[in-house]
Amino acid sequence: ETILNIIDILKGHTLAIELVSKYMQRARIKPSNMLDILKEKGITPDLKGNINHQFKNNTMYEYIKILFDISKITEEEKQILSNLSLFALSEILFDLFIDCSELESGFVIDELIRKNWIQHNWETDKISLHPLIIDVVKNECKPDLEKCATLFKHISSLDSWAMSEQERLNYESFILNIYNNFLNIKENNINEFI
């Protein structure tokens, strides 16, 4: 009954349910305690609102933001989410993202996948973020050129002429996705990267 109440409070939104269940598992929280936490944080069944992914002022955005806050995401995880948020809805190869973010391993990304903050396509080995998570990350972490300096430093140091055609296409797609979703980059600068 308690689990059904949690699902009802979350309006049956699958992303919110998955995030709550992963958090409950990780923190070893009983359903009754989770229900109390959700109510304490302002998630109640009487909240009205739509679940449109495009608008910050909707109920599901607020739910995901609350879950983001209570999940105690580390600074390193926030950095990874910030970098990945620059790709909007596009997927990026797992290994390519690790290289461009200059991570020593994919362990933290794997943890974020396990916690359900990052989506992973196991067939293509590409990662991405859900639209609501992108909105929350962009508003809470505020990625910019300074915060994502490693990513941009890696891009600007690429020797695109030494790449194979497929590698070049992957990087072009990578850079265009960032450019299209990151307003601080001037149009004439993108040619430096491609």
Side-chain angles (χ1 to χ4, degrees):
E1 187 180 335
T2 305
I3 291 171
L4 290 176
N5 286 338
I6 290 172
I7 292 170
D8 187 47
I9 281 177
L10 298 173
K11 298 186 176 184
H13 194 276
T14 54
L15 176 63
I17 292 167
E18 288 174 21
L19 290 170
V20 165
S21 66
K22 299 277 179 159
Y23 178 69
M24 286 172 58
Q25 266 184 324
R26 201 172 69 255
R28 299 187 183 274
I29 295 175
K30 294 178 182 176
S32 57
N33 293 346
M34 191 71 229
L35 190 60
D36 291 341
I37 290 169
L38 293 175
K39 288 179 180 176
E40 178 186 313
K41 296 293 182 179
I43 298 181
T44 60
D46 57 340
L47 275 178
K48 301 288 183 246
N50 61 52
I51 58 167
N52 188 329
H53 296 208
Q54 303 305 313
F55 301 102
K56 183 180 173 188
N57 59 347
N58 73 70
T59 304
M60 277 305 123
Y61 173 90
E62 292 303 321
Y63 284 11
I64 302 303
K65 182 186 175 304
I66 289 168
L67 295 173
F68 186 82
D69 294 340
I70 67 173
S71 292
K72 297 181 178 88
I73 294 174
T74 67
E75 288 305 311
E76 186 178 16
E77 290 172 331
K78 286 179 183 176
Q79 182 63 50
I80 288 169
L81 292 171
S82 293
N83 284 346
L84 196 52
S85 74
L86 299 178
F87 298 98
L89 303 179
S90 302
E91 294 181 319
I92 180 169
L93 287 166
F94 193 111
D95 289 338
L96 177 59
F97 183 76
I98 289 173
D99 289 345
C100 291
S101 300
E102 295 183 1
L103 298 171
E104 290 181 21
S105 74
F107 177 74
V108 178
I109 297 172
D110 281 331
E111 278 297 298
L112 287 166
I113 291 168
R114 197 176 62 76
K115 294 175 185 177
N116 222 51
W117 288 100
I118 293 179
Q119 298 172 334
H120 184 217
N121 182 327
W122 294 98
E123 291 179 17
T124 62
D125 200 28
K126 292 182 177 181
I127 56 176
S128 62
L129 296 178
H130 187 283
L132 280 171
I133 292 176
I134 290 171
D135 286 348
V136 170
V137 169
K138 283 189 174 181
N139 285 297
E140 297 304 304
C141 300
K142 301 188 183 343
D144 59 24
L145 283 170
E146 186 178 326
K147 290 180 186 167
C148 300
T150 302
L151 185 72
F152 288 103
K153 183 186 93 180
H154 184 81
I155 291 169
S156 62
S157 69
L158 289 175
D159 179 6
S160 61
W161 296 109
M163 296 179 191
S164 71
E165 184 177 351
Q166 187 57 52
E167 287 173 326
R168 187 176 169 87
L169 288 172
N170 285 342
Y171 277 103
E172 272 183 38
S173 172
F174 173 77
I175 293 160
L176 287 170
N177 279 318
I178 291 176
Y179 170 70
N180 289 329
N181 294 291
F182 200 65
L183 302 177
N184 293 6
I185 299 176
K186 293 188 170 49
E187 192 169 332
N188 57 359
N189 290 345
I190 195 156
N191 292 325
E192 297 173 23
F193 302 133
I194 299 178

